[in-house]
Amino acid sequence: MINIVVAGFKGKMGMTATKMVIENEKFALVGVYDPHATEKNLNELNQFSTRDVRVFQDKEELVKEVQADVWIDFTIPDVALKNTCFALEHNIRPVVGTTGFSESDVKKVQQLAKEKNIGGLIAPNFAIGAVLMMEFAAKAAKYFPDVEITEMHHDKKLDAPSGTAIKTAEMIFAERGYHQQGNADEKETIKGARGADYEGMKIHSVRLPGLIAHQQVQFGSVGEGLLIRHDSFDRSSFMTGVALGCEKVMSLKELAYGLENLL
Amino acid sequence: MINIVVAGFKGKMGMTATKMVIENEKFALVGVYDPHATEKNLNELNQFSTRDVRVFQDKEELVKEVQADVWIDFTIPDVALKNTCFALEHNIRPVVGTTGFSESDVKKVQQLAKEKNIGGLIAPNFAIGAVLMMEFAAKAAKYFPDVEITEMHHDKKLDAPSGTAIKTAEMIFAERGYHQQGNADEKETIKGARGADYEGMKIHSVRLPGLIAHQQVQFGSVGEGLLIRHDSFDRSSFMTGVALGCEKVMSLKELAYGLENLL
Amino acid sequence: MINIVVAGFKGKMGMTATKMVIENEKFALVGVYDPHATEKNLNELNQFSTRDVRVFQDKEELVKEVQADVWIDFTIPDVALKNTCFALEHNIRPVVGTTGFSESDVKKVQQLAKEKNIGGLIAPNFAIGAVLMMEFAAKAAKYFPDVEITEMHHDKKLDAPSGTAIKTAEMIFAERGYHQQGNADEKETIKGARGADYEGMKIHSVRLPGLIAHQQVQFGSVGEGLLIRHDSFDRSSFMTGVALGCEKVMSLKELAYGLENLL
Amino acid sequence: MINIVVAGFKGKMGMTATKMVIENEKFALVGVYDPHATEKNLNELNQFSTRDVRVFQDKEELVKEVQADVWIDFTIPDVALKNTCFALEHNIRPVVGTTGFSESDVKKVQQLAKEKNIGGLIAPNFAIGAVLMMEFAAKAAKYFPDVEITEMHHDKKLDAPSGTAIKTAEMIFAERGYHQQGNADEKETIKGARGADYEGMKIHSVRLPGLIAHQQVQFGSVGEGLLIRHDSFDRSSFMTGVALGCEKVMSLKELAYGLENLL
């Protein structure tokens, strides 16, 4: 049984993480933390009415009162950095979801973990499925240089292509380099038909109401095709990755950056 | 049993049509025609070695010697126009595959069919699946104005988007008019990501080795999606439509332009 | 502007319908009804805190106080039958979502609508996308007798195949009759591989966590394939159909059973 | 430049391999071999009329006359075993496509390769895309135990599920073991709906005219899905793998069994 605390438990991701820890048989939720919380116990919240778990507004008090193995953190970047250091200093393994750490922030906490000789994880993306999709795409690109990426999102999204699509393209580029695709003389009778060009590969962005977050990476070669697709239906998809992180950090002796390093 | 002749039988489409007529139990192949053929009988060709069917170099001779109900024509446009008139004049129903007839050509042969009081069909596209895809897409657009088209072809193709994609977009436009899609403030961080714009709807063209000819039309609405996809794997896909045409012209009293008018 | 009341507004579907009416510019929400409601005004509910709409516990009072064009009903079958009759008697057009009406119930309310000379709609399924999928599938089956259905749902679902899959198969059967598919000598080396058999067509049921409600109908013919797919991501998908129903009943002079009759 | 001979060049696979070697800039075709060939030179065949390559009916003569680095073999199993040994004995690296070797056959030729200190490859399946699909599926199963396999083939195929589907299931089983999927109380209202059961995972076999050989492996987890799909459109799809094998065996010092060991 792994003893876990959740910091930032009142945010959307924090609530989802709290629920995941409660429902996972390998985990025990020993406390939740939020300096702005007004509750004293988690059971004051409707959805957790049967759960007797202490709420802490003060992290010093938390580490005195409960014995935790893992510190899940879904707070804002500034707070998350302080929390991560605090957890490590108290020999609690951090599992942190943030895209906001600078390279030097990451180095700093990695150094601290090394000194403490304990594991930890900081992951900008906890969706295992998305991480696997990118890893598989990069590997397939070694053998199939011709590839197009189609990402599909709800029509409120502002930017195209998506960050995941660009990251996928970067990882494919690292394997195969520049490679011109399509007919050398191809021409667009309507501008944009062939999509965005990234080092010779094409990226297409579909935006439709009803869609959530989907991406497919499509490879073609003589007489065959290979397609890798990830569908993210809701925020809870991140929790499989958070749970995996909580288990893995128990045996790690360093702090990993990126979920892919644990797969 | 419908008696059929195939004109232009030595071309790729003609050969495929000849094979289809032979294999279809409802049809009897009573003759094949090509002014440049050197054979006297179809059984001189390896693949038809067991088929005793007369080859004609002269169409006047053909109509004297055999009694045909339907004249399948896969020749070049100029020849096809003459052949279509010739067939109608001899009370044979034409089933013609060509994209090359002008509007006045079509009117002329339709007038001739009316005078003769017999059926006929000229179709630029005999792929029933593609025709159904376009028809379904147009109907769905009445209820789902948000739609994107993705067409996928082998990477030798020169033009993007494909003719079928543009025709599909035209048919959708006829139902729903102009409709701006996506976030009004959306921006492309790499140009072309959002595809080609056709009256507010987006068209994406994928080109990869291994692909043949595929298209999907994707509709999105609150909480749901509807997708219609057609895959064309080889030229033989046209033959379901040719066979349907041969049957339908038997009961028609006029010449139809476009397979969709028989569905 | 169409004036609408929502009956059963405190249930899940009722709440979703209430939200839809409020957000649709063509509609005005003139009242909500639930005999068990404890609120006096919709604005007592958090999510509708800015909406001043009267809550009625008594339908007689409702028809005295407000002028409604359409009565949306998402109550249980017994109540829905009474409510539908009540609405018609007060010249309000019912738009009812229920699978529980018997044939004689439907006939009864259709007779009443005829007497009143007003429109109405009872629909077991309001997902326009699903209704279109079934209609397109039935039409395609005329030309492509070879078809397999794959329906995909979350892994809590008890029955396989789904009701929608069976209804789709029935509609396809009505067009093409019995037709044996696959190799006449095919054999399953593991039982069940070829799926459920419905009059010669095969139905496959996929059950996986994360999935919601999806179905694809796949047709195959010489050299080509045609696929129609519907994805339902959440309950709100029904609301496009409810909205369409509210608009259409305004010009109807009879009560339609099944959304397909309005498409 | 790698010097290559093709054994069994008159079979379908042999012809395809011959064409591939000729078209690949890194390869030189130094001879083709078939004891039953009646030609003396490859240029006697229509499709290779411009290619001056010697045809050998006797393999002893072949090794005397030409200097080969790689021996591609697409003959029948009995012959392939003898040819593989013969090639190794003459210090030519074998690249062999066969499913017919016993375990002891494989050991024997691996021992011989070790003695000769040269590379070689025997592969039951040369489709890199299919091999990658299986490898990715096995890896994904570590994190996503819930998985269903759908394989789709033309409707002439006799057995269901396909060999590739069963091999994929075996590889997934090796990673995750037995795992019951779906609702524990689920029931089939039509037998077979839930597909074939392989250690708790389900396999569905679709058979339709027009299809060639396709497979998708679909994983589901809380709020997300991951799908890996391979499409094989024709026999030429194997040639990317054969070409890769020819390159890789040049630096190998042992004989590999299975293309996956070179990826």
Side-chain angles (χ1 to χ4, degrees):
Chain A
M1 193 74 103
I2 302 171
N3 289 332
I4 299 179
V5 293
V6 176
F9 80 100
K10 295 202 72 174
K12 279 188 180 184
M13 291 301 286
M15 282 303 234
T16 314
T18 299
K19 193 159 167 284
M20 180 277 290
V21 173
I22 285 172
E23 289 172 359
N24 192 313
E25 295 174 357
K26 298 175 194 157
F27 301 155
L29 185 65
V30 294
V32 293
Y33 164 64
D34 192 320
H36 306 296
T38 53
E39 300 82 5
K40 294 205 136 67
N41 195 297
L42 197 60
N43 62 20
E44 295 168 41
L45 297 173
N46 274 345
Q47 63 198 106
F48 298 119
S49 59
T50 63
R51 301 291 162 175
D52 177 23
V53 175
R54 277 191 64 182
V55 173
F56 294 90
Q57 281 81 14
D58 177 358
K59 60 186 178 227
E60 294 290 352
E61 195 186 344
L62 183 151
V63 292
K64 265 179 224 151
E65 302 281 326
V66 301
Q67 191 72 29
D69 300 308
V70 172
W71 175 292
I72 292 177
D73 202 292
F74 281 106
T75 59
I76 55 170
D78 273 3
V79 176
L81 182 58
K82 280 177 204 154
N83 285 353
T84 304
C85 293
F86 180 83
L88 286 168
E89 278 153 10
H90 291 83
N91 296 302
I92 309 176
R93 296 153 193 86
V95 170
V96 185
T98 179
T99 52
F101 281 16
S102 71
E103 218 167 297
S104 71
D105 291 344
V106 173
K107 280 211 175 114
K108 183 179 159 188
V109 294
Q110 284 183 321
Q111 180 57 32
L112 191 52
K114 195 175 278 178
E115 286 164 17
K116 288 288 183 174
N117 197 34
I118 58 171
L121 172 67
I122 297 167
N125 186 350
F126 268 111
I128 294 185
V131 171
L132 286 176
M133 172 184 62
M134 286 186 271
E135 185 187 313
F136 294 162
K139 173 141 195 198
K142 286 187 196 179
Y143 308 102
F144 296 127
D146 292 284
V147 53
E148 306 212 358
I149 298 169
T150 305
E151 52 92 347
M152 293 157 277
H153 285 83
H154 56 87
D155 64 345
K156 302 280 179 285
K157 192 171 174 66
L158 275 173
D159 288 6
S162 70
T164 300
I166 289 172
K167 186 160 184 216
T168 307
E170 286 168 356
M171 288 174 67
I172 290 171
F173 175 67
E175 288 294 341
R176 65 148 219 194
Y178 177 82
H179 169 63
Q180 200 214 316
Q181 298 187 190
N183 190 313
D185 298 322
E186 79 180 6
K187 64 164 186 246
E188 292 179 337
T189 55
I190 308 178
K191 212 178 47 174
R194 288 288 287 118
D197 186 277
Y198 185 94
E199 301 288 351
M201 77 191 89
K202 303 297 185 183
I203 308 176
H204 311 273
S205 299
V206 173
R207 298 289 175 266
L208 285 171
L211 289 176
I212 305 151
H214 319 261
Q215 180 174 304
Q216 64 186 34
V217 188
Q218 194 176 356
F219 296 89
S221 186
V222 182
E224 71 181 316
L226 181 68
L227 183 147
I228 301 159
R229 177 178 174 128
H230 181 250
D231 292 276
S232 183
F233 296 117
D234 69 42
R235 181 187 320 124
S236 65
S237 69
F238 289 94
M239 290 307 138
T240 309
V242 176
L244 183 80
C246 291
E247 288 186 70
K248 292 275 187 180
V249 292
M250 293 305 291
S251 54
L252 272 185
K253 296 292 175 205
E254 55 184 12
L255 187 145
Y257 183 76
L259 190 62
E260 57 276 23
N261 296 306
L262 302 190
L263 298 184
Chain B
M1 193 74 103
I2 302 169
N3 289 331
I4 298 179
V5 292
V6 176
F9 80 101
K10 294 203 73 173
K12 279 187 179 185
M13 291 301 285
M15 282 303 235
T16 313
T18 299
K19 196 161 165 284
M20 180 276 290
V21 174
I22 285 172
E23 289 172 358
N24 192 312
E25 293 175 358
K26 298 174 193 159
F27 301 155
L29 184 66
V30 294
V32 294
Y33 163 64
D34 191 320
H36 306 297
T38 53
E39 299 81 6
K40 295 205 136 69
N41 194 297
L42 197 60
N43 62 19
E44 294 168 41
L45 296 173
N46 275 343
Q47 63 198 107
F48 298 119
S49 59
T50 62
R51 300 290 161 175
D52 177 22
V53 175
R54 277 191 64 181
V55 173
F56 294 89
Q57 282 80 16
D58 177 358
K59 60 186 177 227
E60 295 288 353
E61 196 187 342
L62 185 152
V63 293
K64 265 179 223 152
E65 302 281 326
V66 302
Q67 191 73 28
D69 301 307
V70 173
W71 175 292
I72 293 177
D73 200 292
F74 281 106
T75 57
I76 55 170
D78 273 4
V79 177
L81 182 58
K82 280 178 203 154
N83 285 353
T84 305
C85 294
F86 180 84
L88 285 168
E89 279 153 10
H90 291 84
N91 297 302
I92 310 177
R93 297 154 192 86
V95 171
V96 185
T98 178
T99 52
F101 280 17
S102 70
E103 219 167 298
S104 71
D105 291 345
V106 173
K107 280 210 176 116
K108 184 179 158 187
V109 293
Q110 285 184 320
Q111 180 58 32
L112 192 50
K114 194 174 280 180
E115 286 164 18
K116 287 290 182 173
N117 196 34
I118 59 171
L121 171 67
I122 298 167
N125 186 351
F126 268 110
I128 293 185
V131 171
L132 287 176
M133 173 184 61
M134 288 186 269
E135 185 187 313
F136 294 164
K139 173 141 195 197
K142 286 187 197 180
Y143 308 102
F144 296 127
D146 292 284
V147 54
E148 306 213 358
I149 299 168
T150 305
E151 53 91 346
M152 293 156 276
H153 285 82
H154 55 88
D155 63 346
K156 301 282 180 285
K157 191 171 175 67
L158 276 173
D159 288 5
S162 70
T164 300
I166 290 172
K167 186 161 184 214
T168 307
E170 288 168 354
M171 288 173 67
I172 289 171
F173 175 67
E175 289 293 342
R176 65 148 219 193
Y178 176 83
H179 169 62
Q180 199 212 315
Q181 298 187 190
N183 190 313
D185 298 321
E186 79 180 5
K187 65 163 186 248
E188 293 180 336
T189 55
I190 307 179
K191 212 177 47 175
R194 289 288 287 119
D197 186 276
Y198 185 94
E199 300 288 351
M201 78 191 88
K202 303 297 186 182
I203 308 176
H204 310 274
S205 299
V206 173
R207 298 289 176 266
L208 285 170
L211 289 176
I212 304 151
H214 320 261
Q215 181 174 304
Q216 64 186 34
V217 188
Q218 194 175 357
F219 297 88
S221 187
V222 182
E224 71 181 317
L226 180 68
L227 183 147
I228 302 158
R229 178 178 173 126
H230 182 249
D231 292 276
S232 183
F233 296 117
D234 69 41
R235 180 185 321 124
S236 65
S237 69
F238 290 94
M239 291 306 138
T240 309
V242 175
L244 182 80
C246 291
E247 288 186 70
K248 292 275 187 180
V249 293
M250 293 304 291
S251 54
L252 273 185
K253 295 292 176 205
E254 54 184 12
L255 187 144
Y257 182 77
L259 190 62
E260 57 275 25
N261 296 306
L262 302 191
L263 298 185
Chain C
M1 193 74 101
I2 302 171
N3 290 332
I4 298 180
V5 293
V6 176
F9 79 100
K10 295 203 69 172
K12 282 188 176 181
M13 291 300 288
M15 282 302 236
T16 313
T18 299
K19 193 159 168 285
M20 179 278 291
V21 173
I22 285 172
E23 290 172 357
N24 193 311
E25 296 174 357
K26 298 175 195 160
F27 302 154
L29 184 64
V30 294
V32 294
Y33 163 63
D34 192 321
H36 307 297
T38 53
E39 299 81 6
K40 294 206 138 63
N41 195 297
L42 197 61
N43 61 21
E44 296 169 39
L45 296 174
N46 275 344
Q47 64 200 105
F48 298 118
S49 58
T50 63
R51 300 291 161 175
D52 177 22
V53 176
R54 276 192 64 182
V55 172
F56 294 89
Q57 281 81 14
D58 177 357
K59 60 187 177 229
E60 295 290 350
E61 196 187 342
L62 185 151
V63 292
K64 266 178 224 151
E65 302 281 327
V66 302
Q67 192 71 29
D69 301 308
V70 173
W71 175 292
I72 293 177
D73 201 292
F74 280 107
T75 57
I76 55 171
D78 272 4
V79 176
L81 182 57
K82 280 177 203 153
N83 286 353
T84 304
C85 293
F86 180 84
L88 286 167
E89 279 153 10
H90 291 83
N91 296 303
I92 310 176
R93 296 152 194 86
V95 170
V96 185
T98 177
T99 53
F101 280 17
S102 69
E103 218 168 295
S104 71
D105 291 344
V106 173
K107 280 209 175 116
K108 186 180 158 187
V109 293
Q110 285 183 321
Q111 179 59 30
L112 191 52
K114 195 174 280 179
E115 287 164 18
K116 288 290 183 174
N117 196 33
I118 59 172
L121 172 66
I122 297 168
N125 187 350
F126 268 111
I128 293 185
V131 171
L132 287 175
M133 171 184 62
M134 287 187 270
E135 185 186 314
F136 295 163
K139 174 142 195 198
K142 286 186 197 182
Y143 309 102
F144 296 129
D146 292 283
V147 53
E148 306 213 358
I149 299 169
T150 304
E151 51 92 349
M152 293 156 277
H153 285 82
H154 55 87
D155 63 345
K156 300 281 179 285
K157 192 172 174 64
L158 275 174
D159 288 5
S162 70
T164 300
I166 289 173
K167 188 161 182 213
T168 307
E170 286 168 356
M171 288 174 67
I172 290 172
F173 175 69
E175 288 295 341
R176 64 148 219 194
Y178 176 83
H179 169 62
Q180 199 213 317
Q181 297 187 190
N183 189 313
D185 299 320
E186 80 181 4
K187 65 166 186 244
E188 293 179 336
T189 55
I190 307 178
K191 214 176 47 176
R194 289 289 285 117
D197 186 276
Y198 185 93
E199 301 288 350
M201 77 192 86
K202 303 297 185 182
I203 308 176
H204 310 273
S205 299
V206 172
R207 298 288 176 267
L208 284 171
L211 289 176
I212 305 152
H214 319 261
Q215 180 173 305
Q216 64 186 34
V217 188
Q218 195 176 357
F219 296 88
S221 187
V222 182
E224 71 181 317
L226 180 68
L227 183 147
I228 302 158
R229 178 178 173 128
H230 182 250
D231 292 276
S232 183
F233 295 119
D234 69 41
R235 180 185 321 123
S236 65
S237 69
F238 289 93
M239 291 307 137
T240 309
V242 175
L244 182 79
C246 291
E247 288 187 70
K248 291 275 185 178
V249 294
M250 294 305 290
S251 54
L252 270 186
K253 295 293 175 204
E254 56 185 9
L255 187 144
Y257 183 76
L259 189 62
E260 57 275 24
N261 296 305
L262 302 191
L263 299 185
Chain D
M1 193 73 101
I2 302 171
N3 290 332
I4 298 179
V5 292
V6 175
F9 79 101
K10 295 204 68 173
K12 280 188 178 184
M13 291 300 287
M15 282 302 237
T16 313
T18 299
K19 194 160 167 285
M20 180 277 290
V21 174
I22 285 172
E23 289 172 357
N24 192 311
E25 294 175 358
K26 298 175 194 159
F27 302 153
L29 184 65
V30 294
V32 293
Y33 163 64
D34 191 321
H36 306 297
T38 52
E39 298 82 5
K40 295 207 137 61
N41 195 296
L42 197 62
N43 62 20
E44 295 169 39
L45 296 172
N46 275 344
Q47 64 198 106
F48 299 119
S49 59
T50 63
R51 301 290 162 176
D52 177 22
V53 176
R54 276 191 64 181
V55 173
F56 294 89
Q57 281 81 14
D58 177 358
K59 60 187 177 227
E60 294 290 352
E61 197 187 341
L62 184 152
V63 292
K64 263 179 226 152
E65 302 281 327
V66 302
Q67 192 71 30
D69 300 309
V70 173
W71 174 293
I72 293 177
D73 201 292
F74 281 106
T75 58
I76 54 170
D78 273 4
V79 177
L81 181 59
K82 280 178 203 152
N83 285 354
T84 304
C85 294
F86 180 85
L88 286 168
E89 279 153 10
H90 291 84
N91 296 304
I92 310 176
R93 296 152 194 87
V95 171
V96 185
T98 178
T99 52
F101 280 17
S102 70
E103 219 168 295
S104 72
D105 291 346
V106 173
K107 281 210 174 115
K108 186 180 157 187
V109 293
Q110 284 183 322
Q111 180 57 31
L112 192 52
K114 194 173 282 180
E115 286 165 19
K116 287 291 183 173
N117 197 32
I118 59 172
L121 171 67
I122 297 168
N125 187 349
F126 267 111
I128 293 185
V131 170
L132 287 175
M133 172 184 61
M134 287 186 270
E135 186 187 314
F136 294 163
K139 174 143 195 198
K142 286 186 196 180
Y143 309 102
F144 296 128
D146 292 283
V147 53
E148 305 213 0
I149 299 169
T150 304
E151 52 92 347
M152 292 156 277
H153 285 82
H154 55 87
D155 64 344
K156 300 282 180 285
K157 191 170 175 65
L158 275 173
D159 288 5
S162 70
T164 299
I166 290 173
K167 186 158 184 215
T168 307
E170 287 168 355
M171 289 173 67
I172 289 171
F173 174 67
E175 289 294 342
R176 64 147 219 194
Y178 177 83
H179 169 62
Q180 199 212 315
Q181 297 187 190
N183 189 313
D185 298 322
E186 80 181 5
K187 64 166 187 244
E188 293 178 336
T189 55
I190 307 178
K191 214 177 47 178
R194 289 288 286 117
D197 185 276
Y198 185 93
E199 300 288 350
M201 78 192 85
K202 303 297 186 183
I203 309 176
H204 310 273
S205 299
V206 172
R207 298 288 175 268
L208 285 171
L211 290 176
I212 304 151
H214 320 261
Q215 180 174 306
Q216 65 186 33
V217 188
Q218 194 175 356
F219 296 89
S221 188
V222 182
E224 72 181 315
L226 180 68
L227 183 148
I228 302 158
R229 178 179 172 126
H230 182 250
D231 292 276
S232 183
F233 295 118
D234 70 42
R235 179 184 323 122
S236 65
S237 69
F238 289 93
M239 290 307 137
T240 310
V242 175
L244 182 80
C246 291
E247 288 187 70
K248 292 275 185 178
V249 294
M250 293 305 291
S251 55
L252 272 185
K253 295 294 175 204
E254 56 185 10
L255 186 143
Y257 183 76
L259 190 61
E260 56 276 25
N261 295 305
L262 302 191
L263 299 185

